[in-house]
């Protein structure tokens, strides 16, 4: 009977130590933030109402190739009351989307749009005009969403696009 | 009594009265030539159609993931309002989106999806394409696929030194248009050079453009249920030429129209069609 008691006394403190040891990793997890997230937060460390001019945001993929490039002539930091998050309201924006080899595929001109920092998305609710870089494609719409990290875009309808195609040549019947 | 002269006398009138043979060897040879089954030119309708379908399935998932993250998950599934007409859209860039002889104009009700990973553009909702004398409509989705841009064109635009400094020097673009795949009540309307109406309709269609240096071809393939084809207007009694209309009764029918210059060639699946032929009214006999 004494032996189990002795063993209990011996093991109890060690169990308590285990509990104490279990906490620090949780705290550590909270401290280890993604450097990208940290950069995003630093961008927001300006008060609402602040105005930034000529903002340029390039995005690269894992292979260090360009995915997109966003330029904003004038950015106003604002608080979104619905989501309790800070958004950047931009005016006179341009978005370049690149293909998987880093060549420019399209250029888009937007008069005003919101930049969602956390999602890294650009949401336009005004006229959007997209021109293919070789001049053979053009599209316009009343709004759109651009994912700057993946190079994807949706021009919200009603939307219109135009392609230039080669002229047909007449041939004789076989 | 010699009977031989009498027999000859009776046979001679019979010989004169016998009609000439109605079917000559030449006629029989012509008949054989016409009814002999001919080798059908294989336009590769099924193969190209299935290849396009497989490609579409592969890229759809990426688009759906993006639409979810952009809070637009219902763009593909929700029912749609009627397609906007060109007149309803305000156009501050007047003239840029006007139909021209060398352009295709596409309007859609839900949106246009682009992806940097592929040379494709998706048009969602009610879609209308105008150009090259054809109007094509569909009410679900239209996917445009492009050839990759030419490298030499992209590289040759700027001098090397300038290209290195300019981050946007490597202009690639989308390349030339390769094909469209359309789904949902696809309708193609057009006119031939001599003014005959051409109509094609079905659930799914593939519109391909070849990239040949000396000849610009385009092909339209329909496959699936309820495919329709009409050349001329079979309902018009006062028409001048022969017209015909076809509708499929098979679930796996296909029809392929090839436009070569100003010529139109049509091939369709061998069985499972109802055909109606409209002949021009016969000219009134001269008195």
């Amino acid at each position: 009977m004494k032996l189990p008691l002795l063993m209990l006394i011996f093991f109890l403190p060690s169990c308590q130590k285990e509990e104490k040891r279990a906490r620090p990793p949780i705290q550590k997890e909270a401290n280890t933030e993604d450097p990208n997230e940290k950069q995003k937060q630093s961008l927001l460390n300006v008060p609402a109402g602040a105005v930034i001019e000529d903002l340029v945001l390039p995005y690269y993929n894992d292979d260090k190739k360009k995915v997109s490039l966003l330029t904003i002539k004038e950015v106003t930091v604002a608080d979104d009351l619905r989501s309790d998050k800070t958004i950047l309201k931009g005016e006179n924006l341009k978005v370049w989307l690149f293909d998987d080899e880093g060549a420019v595929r399209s250029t888009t001109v937007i008069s005003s749009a919101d930049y969602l920092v956390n999602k890294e998305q650009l949401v336009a609710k005004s006229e959007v005009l997209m021109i293919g870089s070789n001049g053979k494609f053009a599209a316009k719409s009343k709004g759109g969403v651009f994912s700057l990290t993946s190079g994807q875009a949706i021009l919200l309808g009603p939307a219109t696009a135009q392609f230039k195609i080669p002229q047909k040549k007449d041939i004789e019947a076989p | 009594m010699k009977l031989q002269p009498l027999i000859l006398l009776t046979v001679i009138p019979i010989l004169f009265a016998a009609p000439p043979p109605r079917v000559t060897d030449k006629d029989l040879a012509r008949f054989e030539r016409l009814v002999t089954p001919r080798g059908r030119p294989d336009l590769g309708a099924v193969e190209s159609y299935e290849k396009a379908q497989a490609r579409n399935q592969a890229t759809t998932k990426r688009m759906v993931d993006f639409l979810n993250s952009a809070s637009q998950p219902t763009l593909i599934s929700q029912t749609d309002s009627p397609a906007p007409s060109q007149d309803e859209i305000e156009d501050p860039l007047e003239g840029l989106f006007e139909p021209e002889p060398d352009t295709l104009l596409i309007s859609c009700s839900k949106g246009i999806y682009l992806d940097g990973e592929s040379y494709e553009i998706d048009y969602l909702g009610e879609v209308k394409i105008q150009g090259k004398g054809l109007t094509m409509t569909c009410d679900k989705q239209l996917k445009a696929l492009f050839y990759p841009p030419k490298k030499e064109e992209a590289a040759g635009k700027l001098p090397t030194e300038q290209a290195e400094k300019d981050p946007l020097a490597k202009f690639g673009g989308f390349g030339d248009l390769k094909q469209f795949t359309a789904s949902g009540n696809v309708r193609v309307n057009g006119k031939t050079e001599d003014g005959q109406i051409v109509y094609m309709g079905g659930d799914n269609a593939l519109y391909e453009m070849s990239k040949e240096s000396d000849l610009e071809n385009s092909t339209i393939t329909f496959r699936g249920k309820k495919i329709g084809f009409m050349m001329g207007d079979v309902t018009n009694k006062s028409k001048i030429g022969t017209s015909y209309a076809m509708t499929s009764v098979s679930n796996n029918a296909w029809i392929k129209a090839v436009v070569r210059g100003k010529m139109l060639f049509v091939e369709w699946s061998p069985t499972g069609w109802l055909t109606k032929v409209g002949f021009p009214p016969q000219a009134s006999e001269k008195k």
Side-chain angles (χ1 to χ4, degrees):
Chain A
M1 187 66 189
K2 282 181 183 176
L3 187 65
L5 270 172
L6 277 169
M7 283 180 74
L8 198 66
I9 291 164
F10 184 75
F11 278 110
L12 260 176
S14 65
C15 288
Q16 283 176 340
K17 275 179 190 172
E18 281 290 319
E19 275 182 20
K20 280 177 187 172
R21 277 176 196 164
R23 281 176 192 162
I26 297 168
Q27 288 173 350
K28 200 181 175 184
E29 272 177 23
N31 289 334
T32 52
E33 286 177 353
D34 185 3
N36 289 334
E37 291 295 323
K38 224 173 185 178
Q39 281 179 358
K40 287 181 207 170
Q41 290 301 321
S42 67
L43 192 66
L44 297 174
N45 284 339
V46 283
V51 176
I52 308 163
E53 285 187 351
D54 295 324
L55 185 67
V56 179
L57 295 171
Y59 283 86
Y60 295 85
N61 64 12
D62 295 338
D63 300 328
K64 305 293 179 196
K65 283 186 175 170
K66 285 168 279 191
V67 175
S68 63
L69 175 70
L70 168 66
T71 64
I72 314 176
K73 189 74 183 166
E74 190 176 292
V75 181
T76 307
V77 180
D79 289 326
D80 187 352
L81 296 174
R82 289 167 300 174
S83 61
D84 197 27
K85 283 179 180 174
T86 303
I87 55 170
L88 304 177
K89 289 187 171 292
E91 289 190 11
N92 295 327
L93 306 98
K94 276 188 184 176
V95 182
W96 284 269
L97 296 178
F98 298 83
D99 66 15
D100 54 357
E101 293 186 0
V104 174
R105 178 169 290 181
S106 65
T107 309
T108 309
V109 181
I110 307 164
S111 54
S112 64
D114 292 345
Y115 177 71
L116 310 180
V117 180
N118 293 328
K119 281 184 159 183
E120 293 175 304
Q121 282 182 353
L122 189 72
V123 181
K125 288 171 184 168
S126 62
E127 181 95 11
V128 173
L129 176 68
M130 177 181 278
I131 306 279
S133 56
N134 54 2
K136 290 180 180 173
F137 166 76
K140 74 180 175 82
S141 73
K142 295 283 183 186
V145 183
F146 297 80
S147 172
L148 299 165
T149 51
S150 64
Q152 292 167 285
I154 177 93
L155 305 186
L156 297 171
T160 310
Q162 181 176 289
F163 295 104
K164 280 203 171 176
I165 50 175
Q167 290 279 11
K168 283 177 186 171
K169 289 179 182 174
D170 299 342
I171 59 157
E172 290 179 1
Chain B
M1 189 179 173
K2 287 184 179 177
L3 292 173
Q4 198 174 355
L6 287 173
I7 293 168
L8 279 171
L9 281 172
T10 54
V11 168
I12 286 167
I14 294 169
L15 284 172
F16 276 109
R22 283 176 174 267
V23 179
T24 62
D25 289 345
K26 196 178 172 186
D27 290 335
L28 287 173
R30 181 173 174 272
F31 173 81
E32 286 298 324
R33 196 176 68 244
L34 290 173
V35 299
T36 303
R38 295 175 188 178
R40 298 174 65 86
D42 184 11
L43 299 177
V46 176
E47 186 189 350
S48 55
Y49 187 90
E50 286 178 348
K51 202 186 282 182
Q53 289 289 97
R55 188 186 293 114
N56 288 353
Q57 282 176 0
T59 54
T60 298
K61 188 184 177 303
R62 191 172 150 83
M63 178 173 69
V64 170
D65 290 345
F66 167 67
L67 291 179
N68 285 334
S69 79
S71 307
Q72 304 288 341
T74 55
L75 272 181
I76 298 175
S77 59
Q78 73 186 10
T79 52
D80 194 21
S81 56
S85 69
Q86 280 302 114
D87 302 335
E88 292 168 7
I89 302 168
E90 291 176 20
D91 193 356
L93 304 144
E94 200 177 336
L96 182 61
F97 290 92
E98 294 296 324
E100 291 173 22
D102 61 340
T103 58
L104 283 179
L105 193 65
I106 305 176
S107 56
C108 63
S109 59
K110 285 187 179 177
I112 303 172
Y113 169 76
L114 302 100
D115 193 338
E117 279 200 350
S118 60
Y119 295 101
E120 293 181 3
I121 297 178
D122 288 87
Y123 297 84
L124 309 174
E126 303 251 359
V127 185
K128 184 178 182 182
I129 309 178
Q130 294 167 283
K132 294 289 179 190
L134 292 173
T135 301
M136 184 171 174
T137 58
C138 63
D139 63 13
K140 205 171 177 183
Q141 186 176 5
L142 179 90
K143 188 184 278 284
L145 178 69
F146 296 84
Y147 289 103
K150 289 175 185 172
K151 299 291 173 196
E152 55 269 27
E153 273 183 18
K157 277 196 167 182
L158 290 169
T160 318
E161 286 179 15
Q162 199 179 342
E164 283 173 4
K165 286 177 188 172
D166 186 353
L168 306 177
K170 277 176 67 188
F171 270 48
F174 286 94
D176 288 326
L177 187 62
K178 185 181 181 185
Q179 69 180 39
F180 290 116
T181 51
S183 57
N185 286 321
V186 187
R187 303 277 181 265
V188 177
N189 286 288
K191 275 190 177 178
T192 59
E193 199 184 21
D194 54 357
Q196 271 203 320
I197 296 169
V198 179
Y199 163 82
M200 278 184 277
D203 281 342
N204 298 291
L206 169 66
Y207 184 105
E208 294 171 286
M209 302 185 76
S210 72
K211 197 181 181 185
E212 294 174 26
S213 57
D214 58 344
L215 172 67
E216 186 54 45
N217 291 349
S218 56
T219 61
I220 306 171
T221 310
F222 280 82
R223 195 181 181 194
K225 297 176 186 176
K226 291 182 181 174
I227 298 173
F229 176 79
M230 188 165 79
M231 177 75 93
D233 188 356
V234 290
T235 60
N236 185 2
K237 302 286 183 190
S238 62
K239 62 193 174 297
I240 300 164
T242 305
S243 57
Y244 57 97
M246 298 168 61
T247 182
S248 68
V249 289
S250 161
N251 287 345
N252 199 26
W254 54 263
I255 192 163
K256 182 164 188 170
V258 179
V259 182
R260 288 181 187 157
K262 290 176 181 173
M263 306 294 292
L264 178 71
F265 303 88
V266 184
E267 184 198 8
W268 44 81
S269 48
T271 56
W273 293 93
L274 287 177
T275 308
K276 180 176 181 178
V277 180
F279 296 104
Q282 288 183 339
S284 57
E285 290 178 7
K286 288 179 182 177
K287 290 179 182 176

